[in-house]
Amino acid sequence: MFITFGLDANDTPDRIREYVKYGVEEFFAGFVPRDWLSKYGWEVCPNRRPLGGGYNFTQVSELAEMSEAVHKAGARLNLAINAHDNGSERVPYLRDMVETMEQFNPDGYVVADPAIMFCLKEWGIRRPLHISTGTGCFSMESIKFFSDKFNIRRVVIPRKLSISEIARIVEQTRGMNVELEVMIIGYRCYFNDENCHSIHSGARRNLCGDMLLAKMHASNRFPDDWKDVATDLHASGIEVFKEGTRLNEFARHLTTNQMTPYDYSVDLCANGCGVEAVLPKTLYQNCGLCSIKHFRDMGIDCLKVPLRGATDFKMPTLAIVHAAMTAPDPNPDFCRKLINSPAFCDARIHCYYDVPEAHVKRENG
Amino acid sequence: MSKKIELAIYFPDLHRLEMIDDFLKIIDAREIPSYLATVMFSLNPNNYEFTNNLSSLSWLQLFQNNGMDFSRLYFGQEFCQNLIPPSDEVDHAYYFSRQMEWDFTYVTGGYLTDVGIAKVVENLTCLRELGADDCEVVVNDWGVLNVIHRDFPELKGRLVLGRLLNKQTRMNLFAQPGVNFPVHMNGIETVEQEIRDMQVQSYRDVSLSNPVYLKEVHEWGFTNVDFDMTPQGIYRPEGGWDMTMGLYYPWSFIATARNCPTAGLADPVRTFVMTDKPCGKMCKKYNCTPLLIQFETPAVQRGPTLFTYVGDFAEHYFLHSPYYERLIFEPCLPI
């Protein structure tokens, strides 16, 4: 098992050498050329990191330097061109981008849109493809669909699968000569990545962040006969404002057995034990350390640490993933010690995957 | 509306198909006294589904007054594999469509695991056994397409590229009329409005217009493509991709997931992550919607999917865009 790690323009050759010491065998990066930027801005992004300059390379010279540093360090570099959708007008720009990248001998391309997979083939690119999580391969059948058509080295398994569902994919794809990669920490997406069609921007609030801040409102759905209720009540006049009327029954239906949604805004108090939850929450957002043992045991090849644009967070995050990945028995107790915030770990909203045994002790008192 | 447009009606399950008359019953919301409207439709985003049903029916009535009527039933579940209708429901829905002398389209879902795909296979087998030789299938998952190519080759030529595989950007949440949406201009020298205009143009364009891809889509057996209505519109090239184009109305989805806040009402863990426990299907009884007050376009969440009502800009499609061939009317949220 090894780590694939996101690079951005703030990374340096020295940093790359450091990352490699922490189990990174492969890097991925995005490139947004100046002519693309001048035309489309940041929001229409070829690689789903549309938040601004810190997330991507924009200069060919930086890309060249980085590529050389990665290869010198004995690692691989893949270019991410994994936008979900690529309108036909953008395709010539993407081709230029790929041709630029080809000068630096990338080790592969991370792609989400089948249209671009076919374009790469058409352009004579024979390098291995990594099927991005943005494609949405939730089954062995979907992996077969792509591996029959393209030179697929790896499939990035979508985040929204249970560990046993992932294990089933691993089992079923044995012998297919396809590596499997899982996300393990950091950006988790509120919705499914491949089916979130909202626009991200560094200039405004984004849907996923707002979903985590929004108050959820749960209520009973209307009864099936709500239109009859409305017309009958209209005919009945003001008399309906009494107990026993259809209006009262309707109102009662809406308020009976009301449920309370999970409150994301709840403050997580550490009670003096370890660091306050808000610190790891800011640093890691979501954490899947406790699932690494499962993934290693089932035969997952690669852990993705997707921290493009989060320069200061990279080393501490990489260090804990590496520690869990290389530990002989990275059980939940071991992983919790790495995080050192029981309050963070106890709140399952922070979990990348459901690992019931990580919560058994606390829930049983 | 001079062009012949096929009118389809979409139900996700048999229970709601059986309520078709209720869903299509027109009542004039303006006739409801305000004191009743206050009690019934209080300012709860979950209730938009019901008020918007009334608004959308007035457009439907306009279509019907112009001589159009339903001639196709869409049936099936796009957004949650726990809710895929069993084969006996598909059987009933198919016979319903025969009785009405409507054509039939079976709608399959997206992001399916092999368990979900197995349910789809059961339903496709059921349709084959029913002799549904002319039924269409909406494909929303690459794994389902793989199975169809291998095990149901007779469906080639009757496939619809669904709205979950046909990845349009949804501008809905930033489409406040008359207000420019924000653009991140850091490091960019181009005039801001030019960038904004180019982005909108770009959001109209879709991968299907890429000839290299379109050729494959045709070879895969797709003859139709379905879209959501978006505020920015859709750029459809001359020739229309050589496919029939359908538009969903009045509900467009913005985002969807497998984790589900509505399932989380019974089992909070499901709000964030996938578990192996069976789903309590709380969405059959509850809506659980985020109050996204900073967005102008109201959103409604049903199960794992965030929908938006397209009423504000559908008129443009209806009156000024003679470039679609099918309208897929959603009398209810399709979950």
Side-chain angles (χ1 to χ4, degrees):
Chain A
M1 183 179 258
F2 60 92
I3 294 170
T4 186
F5 195 63
L7 282 183
D8 57 60
N10 293 318
D11 284 309
T12 62
D14 285 345
R15 278 174 168 268
I16 287 170
R17 283 189 287 276
E18 277 299 297
Y19 298 149
V20 169
K21 286 181 194 165
Y22 282 91
V24 178
E25 292 185 14
E26 182 188 275
F27 295 90
F28 60 96
F31 177 41
V32 185
R34 295 302 310 180
D35 57 343
W36 175 294
L37 262 186
S38 303
K39 186 163 186 184
Y40 296 113
W42 294 108
E43 283 83 1
V44 177
C45 180
N47 62 64
R48 299 217 309 284
R49 280 290 170 270
L51 301 175
Y55 295 78
N56 278 291
F57 292 95
T58 56
Q59 306 290 342
V60 176
S61 56
E62 293 171 345
L63 199 59
E65 184 188 20
M66 211 50 54
S67 178
E68 189 182 344
V70 167
H71 288 142
K72 262 190 183 167
R76 298 183 296 274
L77 178 64
N78 300 307
L79 182 70
I81 38 174
N82 57 345
H84 290 157
D85 184 64
N86 298 274
S88 52
E89 193 194 83
R90 276 172 276 164
V91 172
Y93 288 85
L94 290 169
R95 183 168 191 171
D96 285 349
M97 183 191 305
V98 168
E99 283 173 359
T100 302
M101 189 65 192
E102 279 293 305
Q103 300 167 41
F104 312 122
N105 286 319
D107 295 279
Y109 291 93
V110 185
V111 190
D113 180 3
I116 298 306
M117 296 178 206
F118 282 110
C119 281
L120 288 168
K121 214 175 187 180
E122 176 94 355
W123 302 337
I125 305 295
R126 298 286 176 262
R127 297 186 194 277
L129 302 186
H130 292 201
I131 302 287
S132 165
T133 187
T135 309
C137 283
F138 286 83
S139 63
M140 178 269 293
E141 290 287 357
S142 50
I143 293 173
K144 277 173 79 173
F145 179 80
F146 290 102
S147 62
D148 285 349
K149 293 169 180 59
F150 304 105
N151 175 21
I152 304 298
R153 174 164 58 204
R154 185 170 317 149
V155 173
V156 187
I157 294 181
R159 301 164 175 97
K160 305 297 175 67
L161 284 162
S162 73
I163 288 177
S164 67
E165 287 171 333
I166 293 172
R168 189 181 159 126
I169 290 176
V170 174
E171 194 56 42
Q172 289 180 316
T173 52
R174 280 193 212 290
M176 282 177 68
N177 198 26
V178 171
E179 294 176 356
L180 297 174
E181 172 180 315
V182 294
M183 310 268 194
I184 206 67
I185 204 160
Y187 314 124
R188 187 170 182 272
C189 292
Y190 181 87
F191 292 101
N192 279 15
D193 177 319
E194 70 288 343
N195 277 120
C196 179
H197 305 296
S198 68
I199 303 165
H200 288 74
S201 170
R204 61 196 177 216
R205 295 168 67 169
N206 296 299
L207 177 62
C208 39
D210 283 323
M211 288 297 293
L212 294 173
L213 296 171
K215 183 172 171 48
M216 299 296 282
H217 196 118
S219 57
N220 290 348
R221 285 165 56 177
F222 277 18
D224 290 346
D225 63 348
W226 66 272
K227 285 182 185 172
D228 292 340
V229 175
T231 45
D232 287 359
L233 293 176
H234 181 206
S236 305
I238 198 76
E239 291 301 308
V240 294
F241 280 80
K242 288 178 182 169
E243 191 176 358
T245 63
R246 212 167 173 187
L247 180 62
N248 196 47
E249 289 305 308
F250 177 86
R252 183 168 289 161
H253 168 86
L254 295 186
T255 53
T256 302
N257 298 323
Q258 281 198 323
M259 305 286 284
T260 308
Y262 183 89
D263 185 357
Y264 290 94
S265 65
V266 67
D267 285 330
L268 305 164
C269 176
N271 291 323
C273 183
V275 298
E276 293 294 326
V278 69
L279 273 63
K281 186 176 182 174
T282 306
L283 190 57
Y284 310 125
Q285 299 183 21
N286 297 97
C287 168
L289 291 189
C290 294
S291 51
I292 287 178
K293 184 176 188 312
H294 291 278
F295 292 141
R296 201 173 64 188
D297 291 349
M298 71 175 76
I300 288 288
D301 300 282
C302 177
L303 303 177
K304 172 168 272 178
V305 180
L307 292 173
R308 284 191 284 157
T311 312
D312 294 335
F313 294 179
K314 284 184 170 182
M315 270 318 293
T317 308
L318 184 59
I320 59 164
V321 172
H322 179 253
M325 184 181 80
T326 53
D329 180 20
N331 58 47
D333 285 340
F334 177 88
C335 295
R336 279 172 169 251
K337 279 179 193 154
L338 291 174
I339 299 288
N340 187 28
S341 177
F344 173 82
C345 292
D346 286 344
R348 294 171 86 157
I349 182 177
H350 301 133
C351 295
Y352 228 99
Y353 302 95
D354 183 39
V355 183
E357 69 269 24
H359 300 274
V360 165
K361 284 182 191 168
R362 181 176 180 272
E363 285 171 4
N364 289 347
Chain B
M1 283 191 282
S2 56
K3 192 172 167 181
K4 176 74 179 161
I5 292 171
E6 183 183 32
L7 195 56
I9 188 164
Y10 177 21
F11 287 99
D13 59 42
L14 189 62
H15 172 66
R16 275 176 286 176
L17 172 59
E18 287 172 344
M19 287 173 55
I20 183 168
D21 292 338
D22 294 299
F23 280 116
L24 295 179
K25 186 182 292 177
I26 293 175
I27 58 173
D28 190 342
R30 291 166 303 184
E31 293 283 312
I32 300 173
S34 61
Y35 57 82
L36 278 183
T38 304
V39 174
M40 293 190 71
F41 305 118
S42 60
L43 290 175
N44 174 348
N46 292 321
N47 296 346
Y48 294 151
E49 174 183 11
F50 308 102
T51 49
N52 287 334
N53 167 268
L54 299 180
S55 316
S56 62
L57 284 174
S58 55
W59 266 108
L60 180 69
Q61 200 172 24
L62 195 62
F63 276 99
Q64 291 177 319
N65 290 344
N66 277 276
M68 287 170 58
D69 210 346
F70 294 117
S71 58
R72 179 174 291 281
L73 174 64
Y74 267 50
F75 184 81
Q77 177 54 247
E78 293 169 283
F79 297 104
C80 179
Q81 74 176 31
N82 295 318
L83 299 173
I84 294 173
S87 57
D88 60 325
E89 288 199 17
V90 175
D91 183 330
H92 276 82
Y94 178 68
Y95 274 112
F96 178 88
S97 73
R98 297 289 89 165
Q99 282 175 340
M100 300 297 287
E101 298 183 348
W102 293 351
D103 292 320
F104 186 76
T105 300
Y106 175 52
V107 184
T108 65
Y111 45 93
L112 299 180
T113 65
D114 289 302
V115 171
I117 290 175
K119 292 181 187 176
V120 169
V121 167
E122 270 180 42
N123 290 339
L124 292 176
T125 306
C126 165
L127 286 166
R128 178 190 274 164
E129 287 168 358
L130 287 170
D133 296 336
D134 56 348
C135 105
E136 283 179 355
V137 175
V138 177
V139 179
N140 278 307
D141 180 273
W142 300 117
V144 168
L145 184 59
N146 198 54
V147 169
I148 285 174
H149 284 169
R150 188 186 60 227
D151 300 334
F152 299 90
E154 70 274 18
L155 290 172
K156 222 172 168 184
R158 287 186 277 135
L159 300 180
V160 184
L161 188 64
R163 60 177 161 175
L164 276 80
L165 285 189
N166 183 19
K167 315 273 183 181
Q168 291 166 281
T169 299
R170 269 69 163 180
M171 279 196 71
N172 305 60
L173 296 177
F174 299 104
Q176 189 178 358
V179 176
N180 281 329
F181 60 89
V183 172
H184 188 38
M185 291 300 292
N186 189 20
I188 298 173
E189 290 171 2
T190 315
V191 176
E192 185 172 332
Q193 191 56 40
E194 274 181 40
I195 294 280
R196 190 174 287 118
D197 291 345
M198 190 50 71
Q199 289 189 355
V200 172
Q201 188 178 315
S202 168
Y203 296 143
R204 284 192 192 118
D205 201 359
V206 289
S207 287
L208 202 57
S209 294
N210 178 337
V212 176
Y213 181 51
L214 184 61
K215 177 173 159 279
E216 302 296 332
V217 170
H218 287 155
E219 283 182 12
W220 290 338
F222 288 105
T223 50
N224 305 50
V225 56
D226 287 344
F227 284 91
D228 270 337
M229 291 184 189
T230 56
Q232 75 269 20
I234 302 160
Y235 171 66
R236 191 183 188 195
E238 209 171 310
W241 307 298
D242 202 17
M243 296 169 88
T244 301
M245 175 168 156
L247 291 172
Y248 287 90
Y249 172 80
W251 295 105
S252 157
F253 86 95
I254 297 172
T256 182
R258 289 192 82 214
N259 55 304
C260 175
T262 317
L265 293 172
D267 180 4
V269 178
R270 298 184 78 94
T271 310
F272 334 110
V273 292
M274 289 312 299
T275 76
D276 292 322
K277 291 185 228 165
C279 178
K281 299 184 182 174
M282 303 300 281
C283 58
K284 297 269 187 194
K285 186 165 166 37
Y286 298 96
N287 274 356
C288 186
T289 291
L291 291 167
L292 297 168
I293 51 175
Q294 63 277 27
F295 293 121
E296 281 299 309
T297 310
V300 185
Q301 181 135 0
R302 166 69 56 77
T305 308
L306 191 68
F307 292 94
T308 188
Y309 179 70
V310 301
D312 290 346
F313 46 86
E315 187 176 330
H316 179 82
Y317 284 83
F318 292 151
L319 300 181
H320 305 293
S321 303
Y323 58 29
Y324 64 97
E325 289 80 27
R326 180 181 293 174
L327 186 72
I328 307 143
F329 184 71
E330 301 161 289
C332 54
L333 289 171
I335 291 189

